[in-house]
Amino acid sequence: MSEPQEAEEVVVEEEEDDDDGTFYLQQVTITEESEDHYQYEEIPADDDSSIPEGDESLENVVKKIEQRNEDLKAAAQVGDLASAHSVSQRPEVVDDFLRNFLIKMGMMKTLDCFQIEWYEMLQKGTLKLQDVGFVPDVYTQNQLLDNEVKNLKKDLEGCKITTNTASETLVKLRKERDFHRMHHKRVAQEKNRLINDIKRLKKHYTSFEPTLSKIKEKYNTAIKQKMLTSLEKDRALVQVSGLQAALRAIECGWESTVAVTSGCKGHNECRTDGPSHRALAEAREERHHYDPPQDSIKQLCCASFLRMWIQRRGSAGAGMKIAVAIQEVTGKSLMQDSEFPVDTRVNPYLAQMKGSPSNLLRSGGCKMTKTLKVHELAVSCLALHPRKQILVTGSDERLWKMWSIPNGDIIMTGEGHGDWLSGCCFHPSGNMLATASGDKTVKIWDFTKVECVFTFTGHLHAIWGCSWHTCGDFVASCSMDNTVKIWDINSQRCRQTLRGHVDSVNSVEFLPFSNTLLTSAADKTLSLWDARTGLCAQTFFGHLHSCNDATFNLKGDTVVSCDSYGVLKLWDVRKVAVMLSVDAGPHPGNQVIFHPSGHLVVMASNDGTVKILDLPSGQLHSLAGHEDAVQCVLFDHMGECVVSGGSDGTVRLWT
């Protein structure tokens, strides 16, 4: 036990004499915190750079990887320099390493034995310090190598991600290249096809010349046929002049009727539309030579003779043509045209405008009180008898039916049209009915004879509607051929053709007790016409879509119209300006009417409802009940009931 004490004294002496020995003895207890701090100085922090995204280009990714490798190399060099500098400053020898290890592990007894034996050998001189050397910093090197391996693994993962991104970009670029190649190939093929088409068209164009020459030959042939037709007309004029001579002979007391009739039989096959100008001039010269008598009895005899002659000669169409020719030559008509009444009459129904609709009607509180299943197909039009509670319905079934309302008893059915019915209208007397159809005809039905008495043909396309003149002698019809025709019931012919619209005329209506016509057309305009002259008096512009219907109020100073987008417009007739515009769409408005008081406007809408517009308040209400589009609507005589017809084949009464 004495030797260790001496060793301890030696150590104390070294502490007093030698400064270096004192330093090493004081640093025997090295804490773990100082070792960790030392490692932190040796190893630089990792550079956690973000992985390049797939949207970056390949060049940018490569540049980032190279920059990152350079940063890592620089950090490694700095770490090596720092480690080398630290080892040179504080070399750790074998004895210090052992002391530190034993202290760190808590092996204090072994440390005491080691120090006793170490210092004894040092005192005896048996310990060779020059052979001891330094202990390499294995832990530090291992940690540096471990960190370097981790960084290399991170770099490898980054390179893999970059490589995958680059490969995806390469695949995408290859696909785009293939697509552009294919597109270029398709464009080249299309170009070659167009070149071939142009060559073919040029060849076809060169083949037009013989076709044009053939067309010219056909044209010349048609001109020759036209000249032959004019000769036929001259022959027909000879017949007319023969008839005129027969008239004079009868008036003068001659009895040459048989001779004239037999002389005309030789030209029975020549039926033309009318005399030529030269023959008319000759006939007028003959009329100057022979002045007909003014006796009315003789004129009646001549007219009856001509009617008998026409009946013997052939069809009614030929008779009508000859009658028109005689009217042009003689100035007399076998079938008298009707005269338009004066335009200064007063509407006797204006007293109804003093009343007002019920509050429930104005507020849209009407209820459906009656539903009549009148047709299997859509109900396209309605007409109410002028004085009785009788309703006529027209349908896509090519027929019309007459009903007693509100009972719903059927009275009559009319068949004869070859296509759907589009409009119907009662004669002012209530004894006749006019119907318009898609078969391009207007038919007049006489209830006393229970048959169709007249059929007017002349329109080139389907007819959309018809309207009676208040006098009952004229009926107007509108058609898809962009025209309106006015038909004379007495002379059974078209008196006027109104041309001015550039698209289908969808509705037509006579202003009551007036010669003024109102039309609405698909060219987005409304027009007022003078039925006597066939001239357009005024045109209303303002709708942005096709006008489906338009009507007057009782005064005739306001017009309401609806278009294919459900827009209602009120027009001031005197100012030719819009008074009110209401959007009741977006579904089309099929028909629009005024209440007799003029305070309400009712529209049949394509959305299956009846729209009611209260003009004083501007409120819009809807009556829902139809299962399909509402095509037509009207008021009863008292203005208390609304009648609507729809595409579901029903008529519904709202009160």
Side-chain angles (χ1 to χ4, degrees), residues 34 71 124 163 307 349 378 410 427 450 607:
S34 62
D71 295 339
K124 293 178 181 180
T163 304
R307 290 191 185 96
Y349 300 106
I410 188 167
H427 190 274
V450 197
D607 61 355

Side-chain angles (χ1 to χ4, degrees), residues 545-610:
H545 307 283
S546 171
C547 297
N548 290 340
D549 191 45
T551 184
F552 289 104
N553 63 349
L554 283 180
K555 282 185 178 180
D557 60 350
T558 305
V559 171
V560 63
S561 60
C562 61
D563 62 17
S564 59
Y565 270 62
V567 177
L568 284 168
K569 287 186 180 292
L570 268 74
W571 308 82
D572 190 333
V573 176
R574 292 167 294 185
K575 295 181 180 179
V576 196
V578 178
M579 301 169 56
L580 178 66
S581 182
V582 177
D583 188 359
H587 298 277
N590 296 320
Q591 188 179 5
V592 63
I593 58 171
F594 268 110
H595 187 269
S597 65
H599 294 161
L600 288 180
V601 171
V602 176
M603 183 183 75
S605 178
N606 219 51
D607 61 355
T609 63
V610 178

Side-chain angles (χ1 to χ4, degrees), residues 61 66 134 154 159 225 239 323 410 528 532 543 558 627:
V61 172
E66 293 178 353
F134 297 101
K154 288 182 180 180
C159 290
Q225 291 179 355
Q239 293 182 0
I410 188 167
L528 294 177
R532 295 166 295 183
H543 277 287
T558 305
E627 298 176 359

Side-chain angles (χ1 to χ4, degrees), residues 186-202:
R186 191 184 304 114
V187 169
Q189 292 176 355
E190 187 70 19
K191 182 179 178 182
N192 295 331
R193 189 178 64 82
L194 290 175
I195 291 173
N196 295 330
D197 290 342
I198 291 172
K199 292 179 180 178
R200 196 181 301 110
L201 287 174
K202 286 181 178 180

Side-chain angles (χ1 to χ4, degrees), residues 255-264:
E255 303 214 349
S256 58
T257 303
V258 178
V260 172
T261 306
S262 62
C264 294

Side-chain angles (χ1 to χ4, degrees), residues 500-504 506 520-526 541 543 545-547:
H501 287 291
V502 296
D503 208 337
S504 172
N506 296 329
S520 65
D523 59 4
K524 311 173 188 176
T525 64
L526 313 176
F541 299 93
H543 277 287
H545 307 283
S546 171
C547 297

